[in-house]
Amino acid sequence: MSEPDKALLRKAVARAVAGLTATGRLTIVEVAADGMTVFRIHRDDNGRPRCHYWSSSWEDLTSEQGWGHESSRPAVLRAADPFSADEVVLVCSFPEGAEADRALAWLSEARPAAVLPSDGPVTAIVEDVLASDPLTRSYDLVVLRADHASGRLRLGSKQLFPIGALPGTRAEVAVRCEPGDAYGTAFAVVTWQGREPRLLSVHSARLAPGSYLLTAELVRPGKVRFGGVPELTRDPRGWDDLVAAAPAQLPPRAGPAHLICAVEVCGPDAKVEERLSRVRQMVSHLSAELADLLRVSLVTYGAHSYDDRSAGEHPVEVAAWQVTPERALAALEWLEERGAITEGYPYYPHAAQVEDMLDAVARRLSTAERVRTVLLTVGDRPPHPARTNRSLILPCPRRHDWRLLVGRVQGRPDTLLAAICDREDTSPHPVWRRLGADALAHLDALDIRGLAADLGLAAPAALPIPFPLLDETE
Amino acid sequence: MQSDPAQGPPAHDIAMWGAPGSGKTTLLAALNIALMRRKDEWKIVGSDAASSDYLIERTNALSSGKIFPEASQSLEHYRWTLVGPAERQERRWLRKARPTPPLTIGISMVDAPGGLFSAGPLHTANGSGVADDLRRRLMDNLVKSRGLVFLFDPIREFELGDAFDHLHPPLTRLAEKMLEIGELRDGMLPHHVAVCITKFDDPRVLETAQKLHLLDSAPDDEYGFPRVTSEDARDLFRALCEVSASGNADMVVNALDQFFHRTRVEFFVTSSIGFYVRPHTKTFDWNDYQNLLPEAGKDLRIRGQVHPVNVVEPMLWLGRRLAAGGPR
């Protein structure tokens, strides 16, 4: 093919492809020495030009009857099907052939069109035109947009390539990746048809959490190559699967916190030891999560003594208040060495100084402080009521009312109530449901990490973010 | 406390009656403490050494040891005499006034294991023959007595509901015996019955009385304890019967009405240990009146001082009613 002919043909094909609408059909018929090749081109849902082609030899088309037989013409027209196309381009690559001339005449007669000359295969030209077709729809990257104030996540898109972008165009997007789901983080490209996204491609990889400068290169219509992240593999999920995987909320961001551990230190030694051990685990875990953002208070309480044979009960003890985790752990060590308190024996066996503990905590908590505060109560006994009632538990000697005090602590801004109850029966006293209003766990089945996450003191381990994150401010 | 040999055999027998654990033994000990706390001269005197020892032992357990006396394990027959203040006659002319003998009410109490009254089999270490013998002796005492103290434990009734089971079988047998010896009067048993609603100190009982507006206070009560008068006690009894676990408690009232003259039955709301009073205030406190103290792995103890409520009154009422009726 001479260069001018080739350029002319390419230009004509490119013009015809560019003019293809979303539902349009383009047919290119190449008439050659031994037969003809038909290229049927349309745009798919993403606006990408797709081509199907087939070839028929003259022998197949004329059958055994020969060119002179009346059945040859319909056979040629049936194979080319020029009537179903919106535009037809006829190409002749063997102008001296009688069969080619006759076929071209039949085709021109049926669907008048200019006949472009070609001295080589048209396939390469069609493939080249399709591969360099400018985008008819923009290509967007699927992202999660995060509103850090509310923690809300919104599934959205970030444009990579606008309409008209040509292969070879590159784009950069700064994203943050968090631990993803089973597929890792998905890099999905969509086009938009009105308000409806159309999935073009999905590739994913398990990435280390962090910020990435993602590069995207438009290789050809329908193919985007990503860089700046480890190698991606094809992801088999469809659009609905991807949407279902998107969480609605960011995991709570850990910030400054005040953890108040109130521990019941009466009863069997083994139980007291276990309670203090759980508190140690909690403080250690949060210390690793929050470092110097954490302040810890330790309060212990035992049982009242109503017996005049007793030397006097052991009062509520504030072993540490708003200290660093290190100092709290040191105070805890001292409590562990001391073990269960026996002072005040014989002490009341069916309740403990929960109400006195609440009073001590409520008195110390400043209402001006705006730090997330968690009161974690560890024990199993109910409190004493403020006055004699049908529970038959003797009233608190100081007449503290646990209901009022729980309400006072709970009503404080950004203050949560958590409890670890080790009561044997399955239905703890209602106070434990109040003390554990925001998180209630059993001593024997305690997930420290989960408890901390429930209280917003640490990010949950198991909340996947399966898409790149884009800050709303960006 | 020593027995008074001059008293002789008591004229009237009062039998105590109630389900096991209804507080018969505790009531006996509380009776002595209550008499000693009274500002009159009423006292209780043992009629024999065994009765005096029994009283001393139970009283000490309740007052000093602050523990509940052990329940009766065998049929015991104790005799005491309630001795009242001496009455002085007025001088006549020049004659010197002579002190009259003090008012005495002879009381003989039969203390028996609670289960002995029940309809079911009684399990004793000595077998059923011994149980039959105990029942026979007890029935004899009921036949001879003309005063009955029937203890109704509302908490037990709420939890177990067996008061009727422990009342009806012996009552039927008693009626049978009395009919046999011709002692039924107008088809009724001749006994006077003091129905003692026990455990008034329990918050569940006190709150019930409070909700029914049945509470009163005695102006001369130094602690200001609430009380329910005998006139209102029957209403409280009916209210407490409504929450019986078995739903049979209403039949207790009906059984009493069927077998005894209404005028011979009086209701008393009692507490053997009374309400807790703080030593420094010595006043009843609605916020903190429970006088029971649980101890780990042990039975309940008594928290403070024992201030029996209304335990003397049933005895005096019975004694006076019996005395007014003369010896049998």
Side-chain angles (χ1 to χ4, degrees), chain A residues 178-211:
Chain A
E178 296 290 344
D181 57 15
Y183 292 92
T185 304
F187 293 86
V189 179
V190 294
T191 59
W192 292 90
Q193 187 168 40
R195 296 176 64 85
E196 289 297 312
R198 303 282 183 183
L199 184 62
L200 180 73
S201 65
V202 199
H203 293 81
S204 50
R206 290 172 181 268
L207 304 180
S211 295

Side-chain angles (χ1 to χ4, degrees), chain B residues 205-221:
Chain B
V205 181
L206 184 62
E207 281 184 20
T208 303
Q210 188 186 25
K211 279 181 185 165
L212 294 172
H213 306 291
L214 298 178
L215 293 183
D216 191 7
S217 60
D220 56 344
D221 183 350

